[in-house]
């Protein structure tokens, strides 16, 4: 998803999304008929797709590899602490193990972006979905299931940005002129896919003007928010 699109979505529909969330029911983020993972089911966690940016005075996003590396490390630690809540049989895949699944990951990102835009944003909903979580990766999941033996796969995509000192000064200057400008935003989603059917059975989004993945407490809070409502194995 291009940076300009992310910022457009964040700034243009933020208020709409917050109002919608207040009325959301937990079942909205579950596929029809799905309530929980069976006890004993196996979960594989794919490498987090994440990138952090600094925002220049003019509002241009500049990738920060050092921040992204720190955020990856912090979120991996946070995920390890949450391990017991993910289930009794969890395997975390490395980037190297996913090298052979490049096309599959591209498909997952496309489907995830479509859900993020058309399911989580009621004002951009697709009439044919009737407000229900009805998305699938289809037969494309079978090689991943064959490789891992897992029953479900957890995906996560996060883009996070922070105002540079110059940007903060520009925001302050614009405020004196009566104009409202924004700093960073945190966007992302997590999805759970049934590797037997390809169905996306759970989805949650992250969509806010707060959060900091560069520090451990912030990463833990972000993960907790991202995995809110994650279906337990029971």
């Amino acid at each position: 998803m291009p940076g300009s699109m992310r910022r457009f979505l964040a700034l243009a529909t933020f208020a709409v999304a917050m109002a919608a969330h207040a009325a959301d029911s937990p079942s909205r983020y579950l596929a029809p008929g799905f309530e929980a993972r069976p006890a004993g089911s196996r979960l594989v966690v794919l490498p987090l797709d994440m990138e952090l940016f600094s925002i220049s005075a003019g509002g241009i996003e500049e990738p920060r590899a050092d921040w992204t590396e720190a955020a990856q490390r912090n979120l991996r630690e946070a995920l390890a602490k949450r391990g017991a809540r993910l289930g009794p049989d969890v395997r975390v895949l490395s980037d190297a193990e996913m090298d052979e699944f490049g096309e599959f990951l591209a498909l997952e990102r496309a489907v995830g972006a479509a859900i993020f835009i058309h399911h989580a944003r009621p004002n951009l909903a697709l009439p044919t979905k009737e407000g229900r979580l009805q998305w699938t990766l289809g037969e494309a999941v079978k090689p991943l299931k064959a490789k891992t033996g897992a029953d479900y796969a957890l995906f996560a995509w996060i883009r996070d940005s922070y105002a540079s000192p110059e940007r903060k000064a520009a925001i302050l200057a614009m405020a004196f002129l009566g104009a409202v400008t924004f700093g960073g935003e945190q966007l992302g989603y997590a999805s759970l896919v049934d590797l037997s059917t390809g169905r996306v059975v759970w989805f949650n989004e992250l969509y806010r003007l707060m959060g900091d993945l560069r520090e451990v407490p912030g990463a833990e809070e972000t993960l907790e928010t991202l995995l809110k409502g994650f279906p337990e194995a029971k």
Side-chain angles (χ1 to χ4, degrees):
M1 188 183 301
S4 58
M5 177 60 77
R6 294 200 310 273
R7 294 192 65 76
F8 168 77
L9 288 170
L11 301 179
T13 65
F14 180 75
V16 174
M18 292 302 100
H21 270 298
D24 277 349
S25 65
S27 61
R28 174 175 170 76
Y29 294 93
L30 294 174
F34 179 82
E35 295 181 354
R37 290 176 289 146
S41 60
R42 292 160 293 184
L43 173 69
V44 63
V45 180
L46 274 69
L48 301 170
D49 184 344
M50 181 192 316
E51 192 164 16
L52 274 61
F53 301 84
S54 174
I55 303 178
S56 70
I60 304 300
E61 290 185 343
E62 299 170 348
R64 286 289 303 262
D66 54 337
W67 291 355
T68 299
E69 183 178 346
Q72 289 274 11
R73 183 172 58 252
N74 293 337
L75 272 178
R76 282 197 297 268
E77 292 179 5
L79 192 62
K81 291 179 181 177
R82 192 187 169 93
R85 294 172 62 184
L86 293 178
D89 193 342
V90 181
R91 176 183 173 188
V92 180
L93 296 183
S94 66
D95 289 325
E97 289 177 294
M98 291 305 297
D99 280 348
E100 62 189 279
F101 294 101
E103 292 186 6
F104 169 70
L105 290 176
L107 172 63
E108 189 284 325
R109 282 194 292 270
V111 173
I115 300 173
F116 186 86
I117 294 171
H118 297 296
H119 184 76
R121 315 265 87 72
N123 54 324
L124 298 174
L126 299 177
T128 55
K129 300 295 183 183
E130 300 180 332
R132 294 180 292 184
L133 185 62
Q134 299 185 102
W135 305 80
T136 180
L137 301 181
E139 297 290 313
V141 301
K142 293 195 177 301
L144 182 61
K145 182 174 180 61
K147 178 182 178 70
T148 64
D151 301 296
Y152 295 91
L154 174 62
F155 300 83
W157 176 94
I158 300 175
R159 296 295 181 270
D160 205 358
S161 56
Y162 307 87
S164 64
E166 295 79 11
R167 178 65 174 174
K168 292 177 182 176
I171 292 173
L172 186 60
M174 293 300 289
F176 276 117
L177 297 174
V180 177
T181 52
F182 294 90
E185 76 230 8
Q186 194 174 66
L187 305 178
Y189 66 79
S191 63
L192 182 68
V193 176
D194 184 329
L195 293 183
S196 295
T197 64
R199 270 204 320 164
V200 177
V201 294
W202 170 83
F203 187 89
N204 194 32
E205 63 162 336
L206 198 59
Y207 193 61
R208 58 188 188 172
L209 304 177
M210 57 180 288
D212 191 340
L213 292 167
R214 298 170 296 181
E215 304 293 337
V216 172
E220 292 178 345
E221 186 276 333
T222 294
L223 185 68
E224 195 68 25
T225 302
L226 189 63
L227 295 183
K228 182 179 180 180
F230 183 73
E232 297 182 359
K234 57 184 180 181

